[in-house]
Amino acid sequence: MAVNQLAKAINTTCAYCGVGCGISARVVDPELHLVEISGREDHPANYGRLCSKGSALGETVSLDGRLLYPKVHGRQVVWSEALDQVASRLQETIEQYGPDSVAIYGSGQLLTEDYYVANKLMKGFIGSANMDTNSRLCMASTVAGQKRAFGSDTVPNTYQDLELANLLVLVGSNTAWCHPVLFQRIRAMKEQRPDMKVVVIDPRRTETCDLADLHLVIKPGADVLLFNGLLVWLADQGALDQDYIEQHCQGFDQALEAARASVGDIQQLAYACGVEQNELIQFYHWFCTTDKTVTAWSQGVNQSAAGTDKVNAMINCHLATGRIGRPGSGPLSLTGQPNAMGGREVGGLANQLAAHMEFTPDDIARVGRFWQAANMAQSPGKTAVDLFKSMDRGEIRFVWIMGTNPVVSLPDSHRVIKALKKCTTVVVSDCIEHTDTAEFADILLPAAPWSEKDGTVTNSERRISRQRALFPTAGEARPDWWMISEVAGRLGFAEAFNYSGSADIFREHAALSGYENNREGKVRDFTIAPLADITDSEYDGLEPFQWPLSAVQGDGSGALSDTQPVISTTASKARFFKDGGFFTGNGRANFIATDVLRPLNAPGKSYPLLLNTGRVRDHWHTMTRTGLSARLNQHTDEPFLAIHPTDAESYQLRDQALCQISSEFGKAAVRVQVSEAQRPGEVFMPMHWTRQHSETGFSGVLVNPVLDPVSKQPDLKYTPVAVEPYHTERYGVLITRERVAFGDIGYMTEVRIENGYRYEMAGSNLDQLSLFSRLKSYQKVEFTDNTVGERRVAWFSDAQLQAIWVSGQAISSCDRQWLQSWFCQTASIEEAWWVLSGKPPRGEDAGRQVCACFGVGEKTICRAIAEHGLTDPVQVGSHLQAGTNCGSCIPEIRGLIKRG
Ligand code: SF4
């Protein structure tokens, strides 16, 4: 074994959210894929901080579950055969049905270089714009809103502004869980400057409210109304920046008139928004009187049928006060994925061309000239939901899905499955072999994952960072750009796709960003042109920088601020639009008149509750990576439905029991979580679980495919549903060293634990699992607890528990964490009786994990709070270490202290 304790640290970027934290990775053992992860001190996104997910990246780089070889119809093949198959099927489909019969569906997990090549192949050489991405589900509404207002998809501000603001408004964003390092930065600043105000606008009371001076518990979908009301309030209070409006904007009167028409008086407005009138006035007053104000938003805004209007309603208020692109002032979108922004830069969305160009005749010709592409797509292609609907109608007959899991993440999953079954050729390139989408692949291509691939990503503040390989590619895995280029070569485009590495692609991308930019007074916002000639070694050593990147100090489109040298003669610009300079043709920003629309699907008699979906703290997307970490699985170990206590009572749901949820589109079954954090009439379900981890627990089957009419982003947060108790004969808990196949069991969720798996089950015939016959060779100890009607069995061999099985007519109250800890220890058969008693001896019961870094449970924290009279998270940290590393659990610790 080659143990390398002195290995050099490799600077790379986190695989998960759009914060884009810098990581320092030290490979301890390349053969065993052992790597130490820490936050990179000099990365401007995180300055050394990481959250629980980023800290655990080292636990997700094993070869467990990896797709390592190309496969055609399940048969392992060599690369040349797989690529020949992809190319010939692509060619045949195009010849027979035309270029619009094929599509690529990409991902914000792709590196910019992968995205660039995929987009070039589709839009430049195949001649169709059917190239969309799961970023459509993430921030398409922000793209559309920014383009309407600024004439370009430009993020005007920067993370530093979150710290410089005196008023920070977080809209539809559980920052504490979804952008945790930004939340840590905000918390640190609020501790330094307690006068800094934080307002959270969210229908749920999330962990982010831990910092809030004011939480507006808004009705879902009322954001446009609330910000229209703010625009009117600003006008009526004389808080407008008339100079900025007159010099740099247009359309203000129409926007104000539309806002006024929609809001009524303050009492009506507060009622319509579902918030207390005095709280609404307080927010409006703070906004009016605080010059340094940042409004930051995330999926609660974007994933909505009115997402684009929500974005514009907020931007209107910033334009009206001239609070944009200034230190501590401006609108700031927080993107979900690590490279959603990079995808936008290279035209990853079906309605864009590369380098922030559009489907205008000039731009089409320009990109065609640059690529020397004779077959440029002439109009936008199909966007995510429509792309799969087209497939279902038989119009799209070939799809290549790259690094994403649309069966789980798109709304109306049943229709997505139907479409994939109908599609003649489904190619999936992924690093994981078994996903809900890979099941439908004709051709599987092994992609290099984070830790084995090399390129660039862009975070939410336009900062481009290198993602670097830590290990050589495993098996036959290859980067996505390589596969796409190989296929392009087989289609006859070898010359245009003759890349020797990601640096080659990056140089071309940089050159295109500067190509005919600033010609005849027409400037594009996105440029990194000075990097078009960097050498391979300069690319290897590229330090994080923000675009736009100019060759000289000062680029004529606004004063440079916070310049940061990247290579000797270049400078990047941190903020846009302080002095106007919008990309609208005449340089003026557009105010957008936003109206309030009725939802297409509203709760009614059959489906009386409103379903919201979202993220939990320690999981990422469809769990293909975080699901591998035992530590990350302990915080939220099962899919759940959060429901207000009065609704729970009305629908006879008990906390921790199982419930069935149904919508017009499908059914799911999950654990009940009764929670005061929910508004009555609204329920919440996480988006992460798939059929690989839970037979019944994924939300995509329920969600309605309603789209924002402008951005085409699906509304994942507004689906009418019904709930009822889940009826079953028996419940079981199984802890085992081997994975169990999901059979015909009513409810089953798999939880990865240290050295094994835990299964929560419900159904009939649970005691007949085929696993039990395989365990026959082990020593077995069995006990029936008649007081609770529970059968408990433990199998032993080699001084180790091999499996534990608990079953009964009710859900077992056995402490799961404690059983799991037994499972990891050496144990004798005499000690089996402890296990079979179902509960730990006094004091050992840790409860649900709260602190992922140090494995500290809820009950341990509560005991320490009670025994030592602890009154703040710092004291808890000094007793138990909990919360002293990444800090992601601090809001929950504070919640436990408050609960007493
Ligand atoms: S906040 Fe967490 S998940 Fe997001 S980039 Fe940073 S470490 Fe990764």
Side-chain angles (χ1 to χ4, degrees):
M1 191 206 319
V3 178
N4 187 0
Q5 300 289 5
L6 299 174
K8 192 166 163 277
I10 299 170
N11 285 331
T12 184
T13 314
C14 179
Y16 299 119
C17 81
V19 179
C21 293
I23 278 180
S24 174
R26 196 179 297 277
V27 177
V28 177
D29 186 326
E31 281 172 30
L32 293 179
H33 273 218
L34 294 180
V35 57
E36 288 173 1
I37 298 288
S38 55
R40 190 179 157 190
E41 298 287 339
D42 59 349
H43 195 290
N46 56 318
Y47 296 107
R49 300 172 174 94
L50 290 178
C51 74
S52 49
K53 292 187 286 288
S55 304
L57 268 167
E59 294 160 37
T60 67
V61 295
S62 74
L63 300 188
D64 198 2
R66 282 281 301 278
L67 173 65
L68 294 173
Y69 301 96
K71 291 190 173 179
V72 175
H73 293 302
R75 181 175 58 89
Q76 186 177 320
V77 297
V78 293
W79 264 111
S80 57
E81 184 181 340
L83 295 166
D84 287 349
Q85 285 266 356
V86 175
S88 61
R89 287 173 183 228
L90 192 48
Q91 184 91 51
E92 283 160 22
T93 313
I94 295 166
E95 280 169 9
Q96 212 173 339
Y97 303 102
D100 286 332
S101 64
V102 304
I104 293 179
Y105 186 62
S107 160
Q109 306 281 314
L110 293 176
L111 301 181
T112 302
E113 290 77 0
D114 301 321
Y115 250 134
Y116 178 88
V117 177
N119 189 54
K120 179 177 174 181
L121 176 62
M122 274 309 286
K123 293 180 187 162
F125 290 81
I126 288 177
S128 167
N130 285 343
M131 153 97 212
D132 211 46
T133 153
N134 66 4
S135 298
R136 180 74 55 189
L137 320 179
C138 167
M139 42 37 34
S141 297
T142 290
V143 175
Q146 291 185 156
K147 278 160 92 168
R148 288 204 305 193
F150 310 146
S152 58
D153 176 22
T154 313
V155 174
N157 282 73
T158 179
Y159 293 163
Q160 193 190 28
D161 298 321
L162 297 167
E163 297 165 324
L164 296 175
N166 291 328
L167 172 63
L168 174 57
V169 187
L170 296 169
V171 190
S173 165
N174 184 4
T175 321
W177 280 13
C178 303
H179 298 91
V181 163
L182 291 185
F183 188 74
Q184 290 175 38
R185 287 178 64 167
I186 297 164
R187 185 176 57 216
M189 192 47 67
K190 185 139 169 70
E191 278 166 12
Q192 265 183 46
R193 294 195 293 120
D195 288 348
M196 173 190 187
K197 296 276 184 293
V198 177
V199 176
V200 173
I201 301 175
D202 198 312
R204 293 193 302 142
R205 195 180 69 233
T206 65
E207 270 58 26
T208 303
C209 297
D210 186 43
L211 277 192
D213 297 281
L214 178 64
H215 173 203
L216 295 178
V217 192
I218 192 173
K219 263 188 202 164
D223 313 58
V224 171
L225 197 55
L226 188 136
F227 281 92
N228 277 359
L230 176 59
L231 189 67
V232 171
W233 189 271
L234 289 165
D236 291 351
Q237 299 295 314
L240 301 173
D241 184 336
Q242 292 291 358
D243 286 349
Y244 193 88
I245 295 171
E246 279 162 27
Q247 286 175 33
H248 304 301
C249 306
Q250 56 198 0
F252 174 73
D253 291 342
Q254 294 90 324
L256 181 61
E257 198 183 323
R260 219 179 263 293
S262 68
V263 298
D265 67 27
I266 189 72
Q267 193 178 354
Q268 291 166 324
L269 177 60
Y271 179 77
C273 292
V275 301
E276 298 293 331
Q277 185 177 325
N278 61 330
E279 293 182 345
L280 187 64
I281 292 172
Q282 176 69 84
F283 166 56
Y284 285 177
H285 173 69
W286 281 343
F287 200 104
C288 269
T289 55
T290 312
D291 186 37
K292 285 188 166 187
T293 296
V294 167
T295 304
W297 67 89
S298 194
Q299 313 309 12
V301 167
N302 292 329
Q303 292 175 338
S304 162
T308 311
D309 274 356
K310 288 182 184 180
V311 170
N312 285 116
M314 293 185 291
I315 289 175
N316 282 347
C317 296
H318 279 270
L319 291 172
T321 49
R323 294 178 194 154
I324 185 163
R326 292 198 278 129
S329 272
L332 181 64
S333 144
L334 305 178
T335 51
Q337 297 198 75
N339 199 30
M341 287 284 277
R344 284 145 76 171
E345 288 154 18
V346 297
L349 294 166
N351 53 329
Q352 299 176 321
L353 283 178
H356 280 203
M357 284 183 263
E358 303 296 322
F359 278 96
T360 62
D362 281 354
D363 282 353
I364 294 169
R366 184 173 295 112
V367 177
R369 267 195 303 280
F370 180 84
W371 281 341
Q372 299 187 5
N375 203 16
M376 284 295 297
Q378 298 297 310
S379 55
K382 296 268 189 272
T383 58
V385 171
D386 287 343
L387 191 151
F388 282 87
K389 280 186 182 167
S390 284
M391 207 182 291
D392 188 31
R393 289 194 297 268
E395 295 159 7
I396 288 177
R397 293 161 179 266
F398 174 106
V399 68
W400 186 344
I401 298 166
M402 299 176 182
T404 184
N405 203 350
V407 166
V408 184
S409 50
L410 280 174
D412 192 5
S413 305
H414 291 310
R415 185 158 189 185
V416 176
I417 290 170
K418 202 163 132 251
L420 287 170
K421 281 182 177 166
K422 225 176 207 181
C423 190
T424 313
T425 305
V426 177
V427 181
V428 172
S429 47
D430 207 308
C431 55
I432 299 292
E433 179 156 18
H434 297 290
T435 71
D436 290 15
T437 300
E439 313 249 305
F440 300 96
D442 298 287
I443 303 174
L444 274 173
L445 303 176
W450 183 89
S451 80
E452 293 174 25
K453 62 183 177 182
D454 196 75
T456 53
V457 289
T458 310
N459 73 2
S460 303
E461 58 166 359
R462 291 177 275 107
R463 191 175 299 281
I464 296 176
S465 298
R466 288 280 277 106
Q467 209 177 84
R468 295 181 173 91
L470 311 181
F471 308 106
T473 47
E476 294 285 321
R478 295 283 182 277
D480 287 273
W481 67 260
W482 178 86
M483 306 173 203
I484 302 159
S485 303
E486 286 290 319
V487 169
R490 283 163 168 79
L491 293 173
F493 312 127
E495 204 180 328
F497 291 84
N498 186 22
Y499 302 114
S500 61
S502 50
D504 258 2
I505 304 164
F506 184 82
R507 281 188 284 267
E508 185 178 310
H509 164 52
L512 178 55
S513 75
Y515 184 67
E516 298 179 6
N517 198 347
N518 203 2
R519 177 178 272 198
E520 294 164 2
K522 199 162 181 291
V523 183
R524 300 194 300 272
D525 61 338
F526 175 71
T527 179
I528 53 169
L531 301 180
D533 297 316
I534 57 171
T535 62
D536 284 4
S537 65
E538 283 172 325
Y539 176 75
D540 283 344
L542 199 62
E543 288 294 315
F545 67 95
Q546 280 179 294
W547 65 259
L549 195 63
S550 311
V552 288
Q553 300 283 314
D555 60 2
S557 61
L560 280 171
S561 54
D562 303 338
T563 55
Q564 177 189 32
V566 177
I567 55 176
S568 57
T569 57
T570 63
S572 63
K573 175 170 142 170
R575 299 181 182 86
F576 279 88
F577 310 140
K578 176 169 81 68
D579 301 309
F582 294 93
F583 298 91
T584 44
N586 64 4
R588 289 176 173 272
N590 296 312
F591 278 95
I592 304 293
T594 52
D595 203 356
V596 179
L597 305 171
R598 282 180 176 280
L600 276 178
N601 277 344
K605 209 168 160 208
S606 306
Y607 302 108
L609 299 170
L610 199 55
L611 174 70
N612 181 2
T613 62
R615 294 177 169 151
V616 299
R617 193 190 76 185
D618 288 354
H619 278 307
W620 176 256
H621 283 196
T622 60
M623 292 168 61
T624 48
R625 183 175 291 279
T626 53
L628 297 170
S629 162
R631 186 155 58 114
L632 292 179
N633 272 281
Q634 303 314 307
H635 178 257
T636 310
D637 54 7
E638 275 187 276
F640 63 88
L641 183 85
I643 185 167
H644 190 272
T646 53
D647 290 328
E649 195 179 337
S650 303
Y651 297 101
Q652 297 163 356
L653 301 184
R654 280 182 301 106
D655 192 40
Q656 296 307 309
L658 294 175
C659 69
Q660 180 159 293
I661 314 153
S662 34
S663 77
E664 200 185 317
F665 304 91
K667 287 186 190 320
V670 293
R671 189 80 53 199
V672 175
Q673 193 181 90
V674 177
S675 167
E676 299 265 3
Q678 288 298 127
R679 281 167 52 100
E682 294 162 22
V683 291
F684 173 84
M685 188 174 165
M687 59 171 275
H688 307 287
W689 275 267
T690 74
R691 289 213 174 91
Q692 308 304 314
H693 300 280
S694 173
E695 189 60 20
T696 59
F698 77 108
S699 59
V701 286
L702 298 166
V703 174
N704 55 197
V706 172
L707 306 184
D708 177 290
V710 183
S711 69
K712 306 292 181 191
Q713 178 154 359
D715 190 334
L716 304 179
K717 297 187 174 287
Y718 204 101
T719 302
V721 294
V723 297
E724 59 184 307
Y726 182 91
H727 298 290
T728 188
E729 289 172 24
R730 286 189 80 76
Y731 296 88
V733 185
L734 174 67
I735 297 178
T736 165
R737 302 212 178 265
E738 62 178 285
R739 275 193 96 175
V740 174
F742 282 53
D744 192 16
I745 291 171
Y747 174 89
M748 181 155 146
T749 292
E750 177 185 279
V751 186
R752 185 63 166 270
I753 62 171
E754 218 180 315
N755 300 324
Y757 303 86
R758 191 181 96 227
Y759 295 89
E760 297 287 336
M761 301 179 193
S764 50
N765 296 327
L766 292 185
D767 292 291
Q768 311 301 322
L769 288 177
S770 58
L771 171 78
F772 298 141
S773 54
R774 293 206 295 282
L775 291 168
K776 268 184 182 154
S777 56
Y778 298 125
Q779 278 182 289
K780 178 173 148 188
V781 191
E782 185 165 356
F783 169 68
T784 299
D785 185 342
N786 289 322
T787 57
V788 290
E790 218 167 72
R791 178 174 171 244
R792 301 184 195 131
V793 190
W795 287 268
F796 274 84
S797 90
D798 302 329
Q800 220 173 27
L801 274 162
Q802 296 300 329
I804 302 170
W805 172 238
V806 180
S807 67
Q809 288 175 344
I811 297 168
S812 173
S813 60
C814 284
D815 186 85
R816 311 301 198 259
Q817 297 295 328
W818 179 75
L819 284 181
Q820 287 171 201
S821 68
W822 264 109
F823 198 65
C824 297
Q825 298 168 17
T826 309
S828 67
I829 196 145
E830 290 74 35
E831 288 168 312
W833 295 109
W834 277 118
V835 177
L836 298 183
S837 74
K839 56 177 188 275
R842 73 204 137 68
E844 281 186 29
D845 184 1
R848 181 186 66 88
Q849 182 174 282
V850 173
C851 172
C853 297
F854 297 106
V856 187
E858 183 176 332
K859 290 181 183 171
T860 306
I861 295 171
C862 289
R863 273 196 300 271
I865 291 168
E867 279 169 25
H868 304 287
L870 309 180
T871 55
D872 73 48
V874 177
Q875 293 174 340
V876 172
S878 56
H879 273 80
L880 302 169
Q881 283 191 291
T884 58
N885 185 36
C886 78
S888 298
C889 59
I890 287 178
E892 283 169 275
I893 294 174
R894 207 187 300 280
L896 295 174
I897 292 167
K898 273 190 201 150
R899 214 169 72 187

